[in-house]
Amino acid sequence: MNFDQVKTFLAIARLGAVRRAAAALNVSQPAVSNRIRALEKDLNVTLFDRSGGGMQLSRAGILLVPHAEVLEQTMNRISAELASSELFESVLRLGVIETAAESWLAEFLTRFHRLYPRVVVEVSVDISVNLREQILERSLDLAVLMGPISDYTVSNVPLPSVEMGWFKQAGTDDPDLSRTPVITFHRKSRPFQEIHAHLTRLHGSGVRVFPSSALSTGFELVGAGIGAGAFPKLTSHRSIESGRVALFDPGWSPNSLTLSASYLREYEGTFIEKAVECLDDVARGSGTA
């Protein structure tokens, strides 16, 4: 039994198909099949039920998964501890919600580059529901989102929460939320649902809550006088710095945003854990909590 066989076994167990495992491991499908046959021969068990054309874990396969994951994590930690950060070359596919991008992303990238100067960081800014899917599809390595992600394959590290506030066009009277449109996060987000529910309880079903998938667009709409905004208190945002929008107090505040850094458990022990530590350190020092 060797580590390539273990990695291949875990890839099929997680992805459910030889074709997907081969693509994830960047090897041919015959190579994947050969590794699994060799592993089954070494262990003298059948790891997958191949009836029906699929690759379902057998009882022996189910029992092997936790042991294989321990081996994987151990090998990852060995590689991470022995590798020099100056020589380490890789790609970190990072996804973040706009709240993080507008606050401490630049500082994180600067600090992480000092730690791993030869790691290329590819950044995607998206809404949480999309980032979650990209993590589970393995098109991202690490995501900062409104979490956590409830999936056994994912590790979640809590990040400092971000306080929410009410914003209006600067120089105007405080808006009446029973009549003024409210602009906030996208419709599928937790803040949208919570704000809509609370406003409905206070003012009835006639309240108008408009979603915006882009934080910057939402601030611009508020600055133009289109409505009131329920957004994170980001003092560095250009709409606030320019004086176009201002905070106001309607008597209640939306719940703070609960953020997490989420990544696949298979990456435990790799430099991705170091990236999470760096994220947490930067976020705690950013003043957004």
Side-chain angles (χ1 to χ4, degrees):
M1 182 173 65
N2 60 51
F3 188 52
D4 282 341
Q5 293 169 351
V6 173
K7 286 197 302 183
T8 303
F9 164 75
L10 285 173
I12 298 177
R14 289 161 175 161
L15 299 174
V18 170
R19 176 181 55 80
R20 292 177 182 175
L25 297 170
N26 197 27
V27 298
S28 67
Q29 292 185 44
V32 168
S33 299
N34 289 337
R35 290 177 185 179
I36 295 302
R37 282 196 293 267
L39 182 59
E40 289 177 324
K41 183 179 179 180
D42 289 342
L43 297 176
N44 196 29
V45 295
T46 299
L47 297 173
F48 293 97
D49 178 4
R50 296 166 173 81
S51 61
M55 293 289 283
Q56 300 296 321
L57 285 169
S58 67
R59 183 176 180 277
I62 292 172
L63 293 174
L64 179 60
V65 168
H67 299 292
E69 288 180 335
V70 170
L71 288 172
E72 177 185 54
Q73 291 165 16
T74 300
M75 291 300 296
N76 286 341
R77 287 192 171 92
I78 291 172
S79 297
E81 289 176 9
L82 294 181
S84 168
S85 61
E86 288 78 13
L87 298 177
F88 198 92
E89 293 187 53
S90 187
V91 175
L92 172 63
R93 299 170 301 171
L94 172 65
V96 298
I97 59 172
E98 197 173 358
T99 300
E102 291 279 359
S103 51
W104 39 257
L105 178 62
E107 183 181 348
F108 162 75
L109 293 174
T110 300
R111 191 177 302 187
F112 188 73
H113 178 69
R114 288 200 298 265
L115 292 172
Y116 292 96
R118 300 183 69 173
V119 173
V120 176
V121 182
E122 298 177 353
V123 180
S124 300
V125 180
D126 210 331
I127 60 178
S128 291
V129 65
N130 291 342
L131 295 176
R132 178 187 183 278
E133 293 305 312
Q134 291 171 54
I135 283 287
L136 296 176
E137 292 171 356
R138 289 168 170 75
S139 57
L140 286 177
D141 302 312
L142 172 62
V144 176
L145 71 171
M146 294 183 221
I149 297 176
S150 299
D151 191 282
Y152 78 99
T153 65
V154 177
S155 292
N156 299 284
V157 176
L159 296 175
S161 59
V162 179
E163 188 179 359
M164 291 280 287
W166 287 100
F167 294 87
K168 64 176 183 177
Q169 184 183 37
T172 62
D173 295 334
D174 289 357
D176 180 352
L177 298 182
S178 67
R179 295 183 296 175
T180 303
V182 171
I183 304 162
T184 189
F185 288 95
H186 61 95
R187 190 177 302 276
K188 292 183 179 180
S189 70
R190 186 183 301 117
F192 179 95
Q193 301 296 332
E194 292 175 347
I195 290 167
H196 187 274
H198 194 81
L199 285 171
T200 300
R201 286 195 297 270
L202 288 176
H203 305 299
S205 59
V207 296
R208 293 175 292 169
V209 183
F210 298 149
S212 175
S213 59
L215 186 63
S216 296
T217 300
F219 271 115
E220 288 300 315
L221 293 174
V222 173
I226 304 300
F231 298 120
K233 290 184 177 180
L234 301 176
T235 56
S236 61
H237 194 278
R238 59 182 177 273
S239 294
I240 301 174
E241 290 181 333
S242 66
R244 297 185 62 224
V245 303
L247 285 163
F248 75 99
D249 182 8
W252 65 280
S253 296
N255 294 326
S256 296
L257 299 184
T258 302
L259 303 185
S260 68
S262 301
Y263 60 99
L264 294 169
R265 286 173 52 197
E266 63 198 73
Y267 293 147
E268 291 177 358
T270 69
F271 77 96
I272 291 176
E273 281 195 325
K274 299 297 183 183
V276 173
E277 292 175 8
C278 184
L279 273 173
D280 185 53
D281 187 49
V282 170
R284 291 187 187 282
S286 68
T288 60

